[in-house]
Structures are given as C-alpha cells and as structure tokens.
Amino acid sequence: MSSLAIKTRRSFVTMPELLLLMVAIVWGTSYGLTKTAIAYTSISMFIAIRFGLTGFLLLPLALKDFKQGKNRDWKVAIPTGAILALIFFFEVYGVSQTSASNAAFLISLNVIFTALVDSLLSKNKPSQSLMLLSVISTVGVLLLTYHQDLGISLNSGDLCILTAAALRALMVTMTKKLTDNKQITNTTLTCIQAFAVAISAYLVGSLIAQEPLSQLPTDREFWLVTAFLVLFCTLFAFYAQNYAVRKISPTKASLLMASEPLFGALFSMMWLNETLSNVQWIGAAILLFSVLAASVNKPNKA
C-alpha cells in the first residue's frame, strides 16, 4: 500500500517542474503583451521603462550584496548588459513588425544557435545531429513564414527576431565566459544588466529619436501590461528558473522551457486574435521539434 502511495505521489508534477512550466507560460505571453504595450509608446521608451523598473526593484538587493562584499567583479556585467540591450532592441522591433506567434517560435531557435556558438568558440566541430537539426529548423522557419499571397517571405520583423535569437546565444556564451569564477551575485548581474538596457534605450530615444522621457504613456492598459512584464516575465521568471534548474535535471528543465513558443502562439491567438495557416502550423511544429531535440541532446555543461 505504501509503495503504491509513493508511486502515486511521484506521478504528480513536482514544484520545480511546475515553476519552470509557469516560467514558460509567462514568457510565452510576453510577445503578445509587448505588441500591446508598444501600441501606446515608442520601442525605446517601452524598453527604458520596463528595464528601468526592473533595475530599481532589484537595486536594494544588489546594494545589500555590495555591502556584504559579494560583488568585487561587478564590472563583468557591463558588456553582457550591452548585448542584452541589442537583444531587446531587435526583439521588440521584430515583434512590432511580425506576428507575436511567429516571434515566439523564431526566438526559440536560440537553443540551436547557442549549441552552434558553443561549438565554434570551443573550436569543436558541430555534431552531425546538431547540423541536421539546423537544417530541419531552417525548413521550419521557411514554412512558418509562408503566406498564401507572398509565398515564403521573411519580413524585417522575422529577420530581427532571428538576429535576437542569435544574440541570445552570444549572450549565454559570453555570460558564462565572463562570470566564470568571478565574484558577482545573480541579483546584481541582473540589476546591472537591466540598468544597462534602460540607459541604452533612453539614450537612443532621447538623442536619436528625440523622445523626451517626460512624455510617459498615460494609458492604464500600458502600465498594467508593463507591470506584468516586469513582475512576472522578469523578476518571477528569473528567480523561479534559478530555483528550479538546481532541483531537476538539465534535460527536463530544457524540455519544459522549450514549450515557451507553443504557449506564446496560443496566447497570441487568444489575446490578439492571430491565426496560423496549416502550412505555418507545420513549420511551427518542425521548429518546436528541433528545439526540443536540441534541448535533449545538448551537453549538461551548456
């Protein structure tokens, strides 16, 4: 009787698994919500507000870490913050020019890009399975961007999302390289990165686009959406992911996180009434398969 009870308990989803699934869900919603937020303001203003709020919320914890002497190598966060700024400029602009569901699937290719970048930097020849997955995922991208009137058409938004996915791969690799054996807490790292993104966006908006910060959006929906993105898609997701990945296997964690584009597509259909054609669904399925396979096969150290 007791062994049956143990098996029954094991059949339920554990807390780390549930948290990672929730992270995948909230990150999936971010593409549709971002599309809603930038309808009220410019891309640079939205990025500055979102990451400025994130940085200020993390600042008390980061300062506490500084007082305790845990951040002697804090400067390593600056270059990764610059990369993160580029990621979000490309990603948010891409979302503004393509569908949120397309963006969710295309950005997931960072898993495959990361494996390729890791192979190049380590001077190891990419495995045959990785090369095959790269070819398969390319077919998925072409089908996902198929339109009945235009045929296969990668617009500027799709290309920006693919660039953001490649930059995410560079971000992961450089963060690992720069922070390895360095004294800086995850909270401080995220805080400095957030401020780097916010300051970059503000400079772009004020100096290039001539957008004064005083012209903040006043719409209630904008601030509700932005608050959700800051609290759930950044702060909650950050801590939940760090907690969960230490409790379960890397393979299981990757599989749960790789479900993000599926949730992104479903949310976009409900929130923005977006639709995918049958051909695009096939492309999306191929992309999802490629990302899941890459997640299963990637080395644990990645």
Side-chain angles (χ1 to χ4, degrees):
M1 186 70 177
S2 60
S3 62
L4 179 62
I6 293 174
K7 289 181 179 179
T8 303
R9 284 198 298 271
R10 286 178 179 171
S11 66
F12 288 100
V13 178
T14 64
M15 181 56 70
E17 292 169 344
L18 181 61
L19 284 174
L20 278 183
L21 192 60
M22 290 175 66
V23 170
I25 291 172
V26 296
W27 274 351
T29 67
S30 67
Y31 305 99
L33 293 175
T34 295
K35 205 170 184 70
T36 298
I38 56 179
Y40 294 101
T41 187
S42 66
I43 290 171
S44 55
M45 180 71 76
F46 165 70
I47 295 174
I49 292 172
R50 176 181 173 181
F51 284 90
L53 289 174
T54 300
F56 279 115
L57 287 173
L58 289 173
L59 188 58
L61 296 175
L63 291 175
K64 182 180 178 181
D65 291 336
F66 272 105
K67 289 181 180 179
Q68 295 176 351
K70 297 178 180 179
N71 293 319
R72 295 178 182 176
D73 300 310
W74 64 270
K75 292 181 181 178
V76 300
I78 297 175
T80 58
I83 298 173
L84 191 63
L86 285 174
I87 289 172
F88 274 92
F89 273 109
F90 277 106
E91 189 171 309
V92 177
Y93 179 79
V95 168
S96 73
Q97 299 298 312
T98 190
S99 68
S101 51
N102 269 28
F105 281 109
L106 291 174
I107 200 70
S108 68
L109 284 173
N110 75 87
V111 174
I112 294 175
F113 289 158
T114 299
L116 289 171
V117 170
D118 187 54
S119 297
L120 292 173
L121 291 180
S122 61
K123 298 180 180 179
N124 294 326
K125 184 179 179 181
S127 64
Q128 291 184 350
S129 61
L130 180 57
M131 296 304 295
L132 178 61
L133 287 174
S134 299
V135 174
I136 293 173
S137 62
T138 301
V139 174
V141 170
L142 295 176
L143 293 177
L144 181 66
T145 55
Y146 173 83
H147 299 280
Q148 190 171 1
D149 297 330
L150 302 175
I152 294 172
S153 176
L154 279 167
N155 64 28
S156 61
D158 298 323
L159 292 174
C160 282
I161 296 296
L162 288 172
T163 303
L167 285 170
R168 278 196 185 192
L170 179 63
M171 173 77 176
V172 170
T173 308
M174 291 302 296
T175 299
K176 172 66 176 175
K177 183 177 180 179
L178 291 173
T179 61
D180 198 28
N181 297 320
K182 294 293 191 298
Q183 200 170 34
I184 181 172
T185 64
N186 289 331
T187 302
T188 302
L189 178 64
T190 306
C191 181
I192 294 175
Q193 288 174 341
F195 278 126
V197 175
I199 292 170
S200 300
Y202 170 71
L203 292 176
V204 169
S206 60
L207 300 180
I208 299 177
Q210 300 295 315
E211 299 167 351
L213 192 60
S214 58
Q215 293 182 356
L216 292 174
T218 57
D219 303 86
R220 182 170 175 268
E221 185 178 35
F222 170 84
W223 289 104
L224 288 175
V225 166
T226 302
F228 181 91
L229 289 169
V230 169
L231 295 174
F232 292 95
C233 298
T234 305
L235 296 178
F236 163 76
F238 166 70
Y239 284 107
Q241 185 183 28
N242 280 343
Y243 167 79
V245 295
R246 295 179 180 180
K247 302 291 183 180
I248 61 178
S249 71
T251 298
K252 185 176 288 187
S254 297
L255 286 171
L256 289 168
M257 295 303 297
S259 63
E260 175 192 338
L262 183 58
F263 291 118
L266 294 174
F267 179 79
S268 299
M269 290 174 184
M270 292 184 295
W271 182 259
L272 301 172
N273 296 318
E274 293 183 354
T275 58
L276 292 176
S277 66
N278 291 334
V279 173
Q280 288 177 310
W281 269 119
I282 293 172
I286 291 173
L287 273 180
L288 192 60
F289 164 78
S290 302
V291 171
L292 289 171
S295 299
V296 171
N297 293 326
K298 70 180 181 179
N300 286 353
K301 68 182 180 65

